[in-house]
Structures are given as structure tokens and as C-alpha cells.
Amino acid sequence: MAFTEKDVDYIANLARLSLSPQETKQFTSQLDKILSYVHKLDELNTESVEPTAHILPVNNVFRADEPKTCPNAQYAVEQAPELINGLFSVPKVIE
Amino acid sequence: MTLYAKTAVELLAMMRRKEACAREIVESVFQRIEAINDKLNAFVALDKEGALKKADEVDRKRAAGEPLGELAGIPVGIKDNLCNHTHPTTCASNILQGYNAAFTGTAVRKLHKADAVIIGNLNMDEFAMGSSCETSFYGPCKNPWNLDYIPGGSSGGSASAVAADMAVMTLGSDTGGSIRQPASLCGVVGMKPTYGRVSRFGLVAFASSLDQIGPITKTVEDNALLLKVISGHDTHDSTSIDTPVPDYLSLLDKPLKGLKIGIPKEYFIDGMDAEVEQSVRAGIDTLKKLGAETVDISLPHTEYAVSTYYIIATAEASSNLARFDGVRYGNRTKNPSDLKELYYKSRSEGFGDEVKRRILLGTYVLSSGYYDAYYKKAQKVRTLIRQDFTKAFEKVDCIITPVSPTPAFKLGEKINDPLTMYLGDIFTISINLAGLPALSVPCGFSGNGLPIGMQIIGKTLDEERILQIGHVFEKNTLFHKEKPALG
């Protein structure tokens, strides 16, 4: 199944990227090539193979639920591109 | 030899003997940076004032007889994706211009604690996505051995700076070869530790199940020293391993007698560069003369590694990079009409082509209807790739391979052909998929004078053994002593 410009438009929207027509065209042909290549994995029968998410023999690593202060919170907020009264500012979201 | 050209082990001894002080060393390194960084574009941010202040603190402490850390007075550069509180951390991306780290990551905190002098941030492929250091927002970094060639990537700046004596040692990060490949192409020593050996807290995430911070240095000794400083368990990273850290440096001198080296046939293939094959085979012969034995092994799923990696790494990247929304960090588009436009435009203006390509690919393989066919399938093949190594390590102590199928290539040669660029990662990515440690050491030069590296892959948490092998190799060869003929 060929990978089309419609596919790129669809995933660009999911990924919150807006692409120029030229970018869409270029990414379509490049991703088509890459996806055709990775289909190599279909040669392998993996029906009875367990997936590996990461290599460590750990699952949930819990710590005690103790409140701690975050010493640099204000500095972290200040790194935002736009602030109003020390809070993140965004365009109006409700009419 | 000028101070900037020395190794950390040499400089520490000189400072102990009062033959040099930290300020002289730091000044010497900055002199070198000021003379040649414009040619190489390895550093993207410098902190001379902070570095000299730290050097003076080390000198004062030494004079007063106060205790000093293991890297006291040693100038260290960090990759631009490692957080150092109040300093820029931009991942060589437009989207993080103007952002200063809100905290210090664990590996960098350990450098501070060891009294290292942090001199600045090093160029890289944008968000560590690339194998040539050409996708950087700051423009490409160059290979000190020939300025027309790439230094490798993504930690190209970290390797280039060490090779050109602009930093005594540096930190890089390795998701699919990003420490080992540039180390190999620049003729220096690079280690990707076992996944979980070094905390990832404060490393801007690319592919969380593969990323690992590691040292790039002039010698294996320095590598052992720096690895010990940055390793260890960290409660801020749930994937960090709670196992004691050996004193790698003091354990280096172990003879090779009886060592079994696995030689995987899938890593010596038709079509690979003849000079690379020759140099790596000669390197293996050197180790044999020193008492090691070789065993022919097979890692049969090697040919599936590139496909597996580029599905898993991009899937994780698309998820990790969703946080860059133009609201909380760095760059925001000017005058967006609404919130939706703010997201779309900030991201589209902020990310470069390679990052967009990988976000798109990752989003696709995770999207509804394709998840099982791509992502889950790749996770299963990852299991098979891991099992290949588990089986091989029943018979051998280490595995030796080339790092990269070719020496450095020319700037611009592969940048418009992403798949060809990806295929060049064939010898390094399986190691990340299997979570193993691997060391790149210089083992030769091509006919046109470009460095070639040899990869020594170890068992899980067996950094100690691969450093020993690298050290013995280095003691019996001269490749690491060669320096590029820069002005």
C-alpha cells in the first residue's frame, strides 16, 4: 500500500505540524521510501515473541508519596515565551 | 606539550605536583577555543566567566588543603541537550532558543560535585536526531581531521572538541550510536554505558528506552575516570540501575590472557569500506597477539536492526517532543490568531526537517490501525535482537566490530537522502536496542587521513571489562596519539 500525501496531511495534523505543499511532497516520498524499507520486518514470524518495551527487569518503581518543595519553580515558569503575572499566557480559548 | 593538549589524568597529576593550576589550564583551553572554534563550530555556547570562577575556587581549595573532587580543575564540555541550571540548553534547535535550564541534571550535577570546570555547550544534531551533526540550528560542526567532512553525530560537537583539544573531556548522549560514531570518526574514545548505568534525569528526552549519557575523551583512562563520576543510581530516574559503581580507573590493568572475543559475521559484510575492515581486523590481531582468542559468532537478526530502531526511536520521539508547544519553553510564533495556530506554527517554525520527519514517522507508526503492524512488531523484533546478544555472550566475553561502515563522509553528501543516512547506523543501533555497553577506540586511519574506530561491546554492566580491553589496546598502539593538523 503506497504512502500518500493524504497520509502525511493526516499525521501532520495529529502531530500539530503545518507543512507547506512542498514539504508535504518531500516528506511523502521520503517516508514512503523509509516505510517500504522497514517492511523488511514482515519477513520474520514473531507470533510467539514477547515485545520488549525497555531492557530493564523493572516495572513500576514507586517512592513514598511525600510532598517536597520544588526549589526552582519560579525560574522554570520564567523560561516560558510569554507570561502574565507569573503565569503562562496563551491566546483566548473561549468565545 | 601545551596544557590544552593533555589528558585529564596528566593534568590532575600536574596539579597535584603544583606544576600547573586550574586557572592556567582553563585559560589554555579557552585560548584554543578562541583560536579554532570558528572553523569547527563545535561549541555553541561558552561560559568563560563561570569557568574561570570555578577554576579559582579549585585553586583556592587546593592551596587551603581542602578536599577536592575527582575532576578538580578539569575543563569539561557538555552536549547541548544536558540541563545545567540557568545555562542555555537548546538541543541545537530553534524551538529552544532563549531557554535556560530550570534545574541541573544528575550527570552534570555530578560533574559540579567532582569540581570539574564546565566550559560550555557542544553542537549536535537537532534533538540528537542525525548521524552527521548537520541538522543543527547553529549550522554543521566540522571534523578536525578535514574541515570538508562531517564529525559524525549526533554528539558531533562533543567528539570534534575533544579531537581538536578544545575540551579535555566531554559528555555526549547515545540513542543509536551518537557517542560512538562521532568518537570513531574524530579519532577519540567514546563510551555508551549500559542502559540505566547513568541517570537520564536532565537529559532532554529523544527516545527514552534507548537514550544514555556517556563520556568522550582522549584516552581510555580518562573515559574510565569520567564514567565513574557520572554513573550510579538516581531516585530521579526510575530506569537507573541500583548497582555499585566500580572504580573503573584503578581496575584498568588486567591482562587479556584467555579473553574470548566474539567476531560476528554479520558485521563484516560485502560492500563495507575496505580500509575500515582492514583496520578493525588488524586491531583484533593486535589483541590476539596480547593473549586474546577469537570466536566466530552470529547475530542473525542484525539485518533487521535499522528497521526496528527507526520505528521504536521515532515512536518514542514523537511522544517526547509533543511537549514543545510554544507555551512553556523557548520560542513561540508571533501573533497567533488562536491557540491552535500557536501550536501548529510554533512547532513548524521551531523544528527543522529531520525532527519533523521523525515526528511524522513516529506519529504514523503509533497511529490507529498501524500500531500493531509497525510499533508492536518492532518491539517483538527488538526481543529477537536482544536474544542474539544473550546467546552470543554465553560463549564470549566481548564482541568486536567496526563502529561505522565508512570513515567520515563529506558535508552535504547524505543529508538529502535520509534512508541512506539511517543505514549508516547499522553497527551501532543494535547495542542500544539490547541496552548493552560499548566502547569506541581509535584503531586506524583511512588513506586520506580520516580516523577509523573499533567497537568493543560488553555484557550488561560490564563496562569494566571493555575499558580494560580498550586500555590494553591503547597501550600497545599509537592511533590515539595522532593529532589533527589544525592551526
Side-chain angles (χ1 to χ4, degrees), chain B residues 35-70:
Chain B
I36 61 170
N37 189 52
D38 284 351
K39 282 189 204 170
L40 292 167
N41 199 23
F43 277 99
V44 297
L46 288 161
D47 179 20
K48 191 173 179 181
E49 198 189 315
L52 287 171
K53 201 173 141 205
K54 179 71 187 181
D56 287 343
E57 183 197 318
V58 168
D59 288 335
R60 185 195 56 75
K61 277 192 189 173
R62 191 182 303 277
E66 290 172 32
L68 285 164
E70 286 171 280

Side-chain angles (χ1 to χ4, degrees), chain B residues 356-368:
Chain B
K356 284 180 190 168
R357 196 153 37 234
R358 295 202 195 191
I359 290 175
L360 290 170
L361 183 57
T363 304
Y364 184 71
V365 300
L366 290 176
S367 65
S368 173

